């Protein structure tokens, strides 16, 4: 389906243009859907009505069906991601039901923009498809044709998946003292007619997630988290850092609405070499900054604290102070990521752990980006 965003200053005529475009696109034989961005909190359901009571009781999603309309209500929280993630979910709702979606608002999205109003108005993110000084019936058919030709193509092919996970093999590097990874035959085709392998590894092997229990005897285990907690709106920060260099909060950009700060040091290219253990690390102040600004953390290293090796500096912190600040505040820490250099600044992060109620577990970490 084709998608465009209709943007402009308040009272510029965006909704009027959407109305006229819907009619023009329908005349052209297209089936049209619309999305309206609402900047402030609005109760779209009637308090006291049955559907509202279902939501108030804790239902994750409520659908009301009448003879003429179907309405879907889905509470959205911080763990569901920022505006881009909300728009992606809204567009996914249309499936194959429509040919075109007109999005009113979402000026910060990467969608092609039809700008309504004063040509001198603010610039908007994404390519500019057309500027419309005012809604005009005479020009709307031509604009509809432009939307059909040049709107952003959205669908299953529009999402790119980038694997951020290292292979798990017998050569997988592990933190000093952790169990090695082994994959050995338990049954073979020759002897048994089928193959089964025995997999042995620690809970923090390869690309994995730390739960608070990792450093806190009373901390939560992975069983305390919902699936949605491993679906995060991520912000990647690329930092040049030397071996065993401390990274303080002054290296971080201004905080934003992302859920996960992904620190890309480029250290993943040393995976499988002795140099990997001499990675940069976060200071306790940097870890506290993440907590203060409500970020979970992901890195392309063994972890946020220095790993003990023969190259350790006596001035380095001992123990795991960054882990303690992050996990002690209930933050998740994802470690040993790779392929971060293939990503832009913002993306949807998915990293679902094995369903084991433990202090951590391997994950298949994936970045989702939408063209």
């Amino acid at each position: 389906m084709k998608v465009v965003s209709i943007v402009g200053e308040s009272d510029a005529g965006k909704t009027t243009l959407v109305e006229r475009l819907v009619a023009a696109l329908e005349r052209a034989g297209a089936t049209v859907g619309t999305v309206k961005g609402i900047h402030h909190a609005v109760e779209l359901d009637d308090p006291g009505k049955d559907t509202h009571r279902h939501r108030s009781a804790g239902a994750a999603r409520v659908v009301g069906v009448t003879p003429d309309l179907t309405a879907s209500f889905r509470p959205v929280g911080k763990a569901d991601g920022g505006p881009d993630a909300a728009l992606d979910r809204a567009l996914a709702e249309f499936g194959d039901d429509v040919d075109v979606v007109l999005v009113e608002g979402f000026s910060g999205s990467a969608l092609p923009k039809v700008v309504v109003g004063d040509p001198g108005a603010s610039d908007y993110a994404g390519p500019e498809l057309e500027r419309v000084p005012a809604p005009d019936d005479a020009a709307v058919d031509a604009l509809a044709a432009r939307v059909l030709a040049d709107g952003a193509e959205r669908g299953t092919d529009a999402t790119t998946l980038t694997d951020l996970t290292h292979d798990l093999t017998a050569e997988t590097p592990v933190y000093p003292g952790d169990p090695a990874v082994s994959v050995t035959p338990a049954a073979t085709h020759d002897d048994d007619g089928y193959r089964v392998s025995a997999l042995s590894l620690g809970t923090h092997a390869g690309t994995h997630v730390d739960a608070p229990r990792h450093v806190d005897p009373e901390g939560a285990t992975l069983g305390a988290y919902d699936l949605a907690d491993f679906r995060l709106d991520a912000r990647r920060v690329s930092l040049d850092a030397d071996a065993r260099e401390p990274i303080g909060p002054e290296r971080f950009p201004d905080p934003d609405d992302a859920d996960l700060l992904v620190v890309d040091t480029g250290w993943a290219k040393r995976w499988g070499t002795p140099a990997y253990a001499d990675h940069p690390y976060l200071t306790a102040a940097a870890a506290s900054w993440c907590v203060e600004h409500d970020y979970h953390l992901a890195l392309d290293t063994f972890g946020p604290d220095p790993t003990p090796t023969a190259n350790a500096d006596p001035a380095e912190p001992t123990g795991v102070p960054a882990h303690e600040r992050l996990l002690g505040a209930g933050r998740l820490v994802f470690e040993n990521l790779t392929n971060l250099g293939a990503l832009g600044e913002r993306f949807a992060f998915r990293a679902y752990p094995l369903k084991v109620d433990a202090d951590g577990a391997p994950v298949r970490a994936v970045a989702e980006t939408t063209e």
Side-chain angles (χ1 to χ4, degrees):
M1 65 187 179
K2 298 286 189 175
V3 186
V4 298
S5 173
I6 314 298
V7 299
E9 302 297 320
S10 180
D11 298 324
K14 298 186 294 294
T15 301
T16 299
L17 181 61
V18 169
E19 291 175 318
R20 294 176 180 178
L21 264 178
V22 168
L25 288 163
E26 292 280 354
R27 288 195 298 271
T31 304
V32 185
T34 66
V35 174
K36 167 63 178 170
I38 302 173
H39 298 292
H40 51 280
V42 175
E43 178 52 71
L44 300 175
D45 201 1
D46 291 328
K49 294 295 185 180
D50 293 347
T51 48
H52 190 275
R53 291 171 63 188
H54 292 184
R55 284 172 50 212
S56 299
R61 187 167 193 160
V62 177
V63 178
V65 180
T66 77
D68 303 309
L69 287 173
T70 298
S72 177
F73 301 96
R74 179 184 183 276
V76 177
K78 182 174 174 60
D80 293 297
D84 287 346
L87 178 57
D88 284 341
R89 285 193 300 273
L91 293 175
E93 293 279 344
F94 291 101
D96 297 325
D97 293 341
V98 299
D99 303 308
V100 180
V101 177
L102 304 178
V103 177
E104 183 177 339
F106 291 92
S107 59
S109 75
L111 292 173
K113 301 294 188 297
V114 175
V115 182
V116 186
D118 181 3
S122 302
D123 291 331
Y124 299 96
E128 184 177 303
L129 192 67
E130 194 82 43
R131 277 191 179 260
V132 181
D136 184 347
D137 283 332
V140 74
D141 286 322
L143 181 57
R146 184 82 190 276
V147 167
L148 288 170
D150 299 326
E153 189 70 47
R154 294 292 285 261
T156 55
D157 292 337
T159 298
T160 299
L161 301 180
T162 302
D163 195 352
L164 308 180
T165 315
H166 285 290
D167 292 341
L168 272 177
T169 70
E171 288 74 42
T172 293
V174 296
Y175 187 85
D178 280 9
V181 176
S182 68
V183 185
T184 56
T188 66
H189 295 108
D190 289 342
D191 293 339
D192 306 286
Y194 57 90
R195 180 180 175 87
V196 173
S197 298
L199 175 63
S200 175
L201 72 168
T203 51
H204 298 263
T207 304
H208 66 274
V209 60
D210 293 353
R213 184 66 63 86
H214 182 42
V215 297
D216 181 358
E218 303 300 323
T221 56
L222 289 177
Y225 292 86
D226 296 326
L227 279 175
D229 295 322
F230 303 100
R231 185 184 65 211
L232 300 165
D233 183 24
R235 183 183 190 184
R236 171 179 164 267
V237 178
S238 180
L239 299 175
D240 290 328
D242 294 328
R244 310 196 74 86
E245 179 182 345
I247 296 172
E250 68 279 357
R251 301 286 302 276
F252 295 153
D254 291 338
D256 62 5
D257 62 350
D259 306 303
L260 177 73
L261 187 71
V262 180
V263 178
D264 177 9
T265 67
W267 221 253
K269 63 188 177 185
R270 296 170 174 83
W271 180 257
T273 73
Y276 187 74
D278 289 315
H279 55 82
Y281 62 91
L282 267 58
T283 64
S288 295
W289 184 93
C290 292
V291 171
E292 178 185 351
H293 296 293
D294 206 21
Y295 285 119
H296 300 283
L297 180 69
L299 314 98
D300 57 351
T301 66
F302 269 140
D305 290 295
T307 295
T309 73
N311 298 318
D313 189 312
E316 291 175 0
T318 58
V320 286
H323 276 91
E324 289 170 348
R325 281 164 172 75
L326 289 156
L327 298 175
R331 303 296 186 267
L332 294 169
V333 179
F334 300 88
E335 298 170 342
N336 295 329
L337 298 182
T338 189
N339 292 331
L340 294 176
L343 302 172
E345 181 182 3
R346 295 296 293 263
F347 56 92
F349 180 82
R350 310 287 185 258
Y352 300 108
L354 296 175
K355 195 172 183 179
V356 54
D357 191 16
D359 47 80
V363 299
R364 186 65 178 266
V366 175
E368 292 183 10
T369 52
T370 304
E371 299 297 332

